[in-house]
Amino acid sequence: MWISWATRMRASFGASFLWLVTMVYFNQGFRSFVWTAISYQMKDVLKLSPSSSQFLVSVAHSPWSIKPIYGILSDCIPINGRRRLPYLVIATILSLLPWLVLGLVTSARSSGNLFAAFLTVQNLGSAMADVVVDAMVAEAVHSELAEFAGDLQSLSWLSMALGGIFGSLLGGYTLSQLRIDTIFLLFSILPAIQLLSCSLIKESPLESDGAQNHDSKTMKFKDDVDHSNRKNSFIKTSKTSKRKNKRNNDNKRINLKYESPIRQPRSRLERYCISLKSAICNLVGTFKQPIILRPMAWFFFSNITVPSLSTVMFYYQTEVLKLEASFLGTARVIGWIGLMLGTYIYNRYLKHKKLREVLLMAHVGLGIGCLLDIILVSKLHNQLGIPDKHVVLWGSAFSDTIRQFKLMPFLILSGRLCPHGIEGTLFALFMSINNLGSTLGAFLGAALASALNISSDSFHNLIFGISIQLLATLFPISFLFLIPKEATGLAS
């Protein structure tokens, strides 16, 4: 069965394309290998406080919040007539160079500002590669290959999950055996392989007037929409012959403007600017529709209102509980397994339920996860004879499983709300909104840790911080009315 599936996929897309897709998503998951070392670099070498570390990580992950920009650039400004491959090469280089510099230059990883700058550049490359490959996958399954869309998505998620599992397992082990600079250099091997893999892909250049034709179609679509709006307004306000004659005149003007074979030549820069402006206007106009704006507002505020204390908890686990890097790597593996388990449970039992019910269940579950952290910090489990490691392991599995209950409705609702023609860019915007909310939540967590004077030597107020996090986790339940009432988890 697996051999037959692999044969059909290879015959449809080609081995080189499948290898590149697998490589990009595997690298995304395998980043856990090096981020374990980054956490220890900030704590043990840079001697940063928990709040400072969380602030630095939040800044480094900010490029994931502007993903639509990369999509719009690759859509509207081709390089040498190509929209995807040149941007993927640029993104891969941005992902590769920071690890080489951090591994070879001591001053780059010994300065907090430089360290944050290189991590931000690396995330910029990773986020751009993610957007470009998503677009390549969408184009690959267009029209006659649409039946393989689910297969390619499954391949992508499977590659990322395997990368996360192996990265987490090896990250903790290598950290106890190798120096951090060596780990940075080792990880640079994967972006280097990805860069070489780009040479295996052939992308046909666009026609010389492709951008111009694209602009014409986009502009015509915009005028058609404007004309439709005018038509509706005329019907609502008046049906007099004068208005009808004006509408007919508008039709004539539009037909003359876009059906005439004689066009005023434009420079390439002007065509690119018009294409960018048109794409942005269409994107903003679509996003402002209430059916899209309201649910996206809920997901955004449900993230921004909950302070993240993940980095603070890492400090507590290593400084107070004295958990070693290899064990924390194992805990992350359990988290990845919990993520896959959450996906299975959702698809098997929850996708027929209303999204409001699923999201309510998810936030109550996340609140229970906060209670487990309170138990861990207060050491109530020790009175029952339960080891710290058991609470950390099962808490990680439970929290990641519950988070997937929230992520799956977001992905399904986002896919359902995307109108035809701008699915890729609008979906990237949805994901960026989610990422931006998480990033701002991490900033809020850093501010909370700083306000409570939590440091590497003092975790006395951590339990108050987690209690605030618990209350904030339940707060988004109060505005679930923004989610469509009858919407379910079914993709269609």
Side-chain angles (χ1 to χ4, degrees), residues 62-69 283-284 286-288 292-305 406-407 410 414 417 425-441:
S62 59
W64 289 90
S65 302
I66 54 174
K67 290 174 65 175
I69 294 178
L283 187 65
V284 173
T286 303
F287 184 77
K288 288 170 64 177
I292 294 178
L293 183 60
R294 285 166 59 91
M296 290 302 110
W298 185 88
F299 282 103
F300 176 74
F301 286 114
S302 70
N303 287 326
I304 192 177
T305 55
K406 181 178 178 180
L407 179 62
F410 174 80
S414 298
L417 292 175
T425 304
L426 192 60
F427 188 79
L429 176 61
F430 291 162
M431 294 302 298
S432 295
I433 290 172
N434 192 54
N435 294 334
L436 177 61
S438 299
T439 299
L440 294 178

Side-chain angles (χ1 to χ4, degrees), residues 9-23:
M9 291 282 286
R10 180 177 179 180
S12 301
F13 300 102
S16 298
F17 178 77
L18 294 177
W19 165 257
L20 181 62
V21 171
T22 302
M23 194 70 205

Side-chain angles (χ1 to χ4, degrees), residues 325-338:
S326 57
F327 173 79
L328 293 179
T330 302
R332 289 188 176 94
V333 172
I334 298 296
W336 277 99
I337 295 175

Side-chain angles (χ1 to χ4, degrees), residues 1 9 49 69 86 88 159 176 194 236 242-243 246 258 312 386 388 390 427-428 442 449 472:
M1 179 178 178
M9 291 282 286
S49 66
I69 294 178
L88 183 58
S159 301
S176 61
Q194 179 177 309
K236 291 179 180 179
K242 182 178 180 180
R243 292 292 180 90
K246 182 178 180 181
Y258 289 103
V312 179
I386 302 175
D388 296 335
H390 288 184
F427 188 79

Side-chain angles (χ1 to χ4, degrees), residues 209-252:
D209 60 344
Q212 188 171 341
N213 290 339
H214 174 74
D215 296 339
S216 301
K217 293 178 182 178
T218 304
M219 292 174 63
K220 188 176 187 305
F221 170 77
K222 184 176 184 297
D223 278 2
D224 288 343
V225 173
D226 292 340
H227 168 66
S228 178
N229 292 336
R230 289 196 298 270
K231 180 179 178 181
N232 292 334
S233 65
F234 293 158
I235 292 175
K236 291 179 180 179
T237 56
S238 174
K239 294 184 178 180
T240 62
S241 59
K242 182 178 180 180
R243 292 292 180 90
K244 291 181 179 179
N245 290 335
K246 182 178 180 181
R247 184 180 63 194
N248 292 334
N249 291 335
D250 289 340
N251 286 336
K252 293 178 181 179

Side-chain angles (χ1 to χ4, degrees), residues 23 27 96 99-100 184-194:
M23 194 70 205
N27 288 353
L96 170 62
W99 299 123
L100 293 176
F184 291 159
L185 292 176
L186 280 176
F187 183 77
S188 67
I189 295 175
L190 288 181
I193 295 175
Q194 179 177 309

Side-chain angles (χ1 to χ4, degrees), residues 178-410:
L178 302 174
R179 297 189 311 177
I180 291 180
D181 58 326
T182 305
I183 293 176
F184 291 159
L185 292 176
L186 280 176
F187 183 77
S188 67
I189 295 175
L190 288 181
I193 295 175
Q194 179 177 309
L195 184 61
L196 293 175
S197 301
C198 292
S199 63
L200 302 176
I201 303 297
K202 302 294 183 182
E203 181 183 4
S204 301
L206 301 171
E207 296 179 1
S208 59
D209 60 344
Q212 188 171 341
N213 290 339
H214 174 74
D215 296 339
S216 301
K217 293 178 182 178
T218 304
M219 292 174 63
K220 188 176 187 305
F221 170 77
K222 184 176 184 297
D223 278 2
D224 288 343
V225 173
D226 292 340
H227 168 66
S228 178
N229 292 336
R230 289 196 298 270
K231 180 179 178 181
N232 292 334
S233 65
F234 293 158
I235 292 175
K236 291 179 180 179
T237 56
S238 174
K239 294 184 178 180
T240 62
S241 59
K242 182 178 180 180
R243 292 292 180 90
K244 291 181 179 179
N245 290 335
K246 182 178 180 181
R247 184 180 63 194
N248 292 334
N249 291 335
D250 289 340
N251 286 336
K252 293 178 181 179
R253 283 201 301 271
I254 292 175
N255 291 334
L256 287 173
K257 181 176 182 180
Y258 289 103
E259 292 179 3
S260 175
I262 302 176
R263 295 183 57 86
Q264 190 72 20
R266 295 192 183 106
S267 66
R268 179 177 298 181
L269 178 61
E270 186 179 359
R271 292 200 305 270
Y272 289 164
C273 290
I274 292 176
S275 182
L276 281 172
K277 181 180 178 180
S278 177
I280 294 173
C281 289
N282 286 335
L283 187 65
V284 173
T286 303
F287 184 77
K288 288 170 64 177
Q289 299 178 30
I291 194 174
I292 294 178
L293 183 60
R294 285 166 59 91
M296 290 302 110
W298 185 88
F299 282 103
F300 176 74
F301 286 114
S302 70
N303 287 326
I304 192 177
T305 55
V306 180
S308 172
L309 297 173
S310 57
T311 303
V312 179
M313 288 303 297
F314 166 77
Y315 273 69
Y316 178 80
Q317 291 169 0
T318 54
E319 294 295 325
V320 178
L321 302 183
K322 304 298 182 183
L323 300 180
E324 58 274 9
S326 57
F327 173 79
L328 293 179
T330 302
R332 289 188 176 94
V333 172
I334 298 296
W336 277 99
I337 295 175
L339 183 148
M340 292 187 288
L341 178 62
T343 303
Y344 170 78
I345 294 175
Y346 180 86
N347 288 324
R348 182 69 175 84
Y349 301 105
L350 301 178
K351 66 180 181 181
H352 295 282
K353 293 185 176 294
K354 294 181 179 179
L355 292 185
R356 288 189 181 183
E357 297 177 3
V358 176
L359 294 172
L360 171 63
M361 184 189 310
H363 270 262
V364 171
L366 292 174
I368 295 175
C370 292
L371 285 177
L372 292 177
D373 286 339
I374 291 176
I375 292 174
L376 180 67
V377 173
S378 63
K379 298 187 179 299
L380 291 176
H381 59 287
N382 289 340
Q383 300 177 13
L384 301 176
I386 302 175
D388 296 335
K389 291 185 177 181
H390 288 184
V391 178
V392 172
L393 280 178
W394 297 115
S396 176
F398 177 81
S399 297
D400 285 318
T401 300
I402 296 300
R403 287 191 188 97
Q404 201 66 1
F405 293 166
K406 181 178 178 180
L407 179 62
M408 290 299 293
F410 174 80

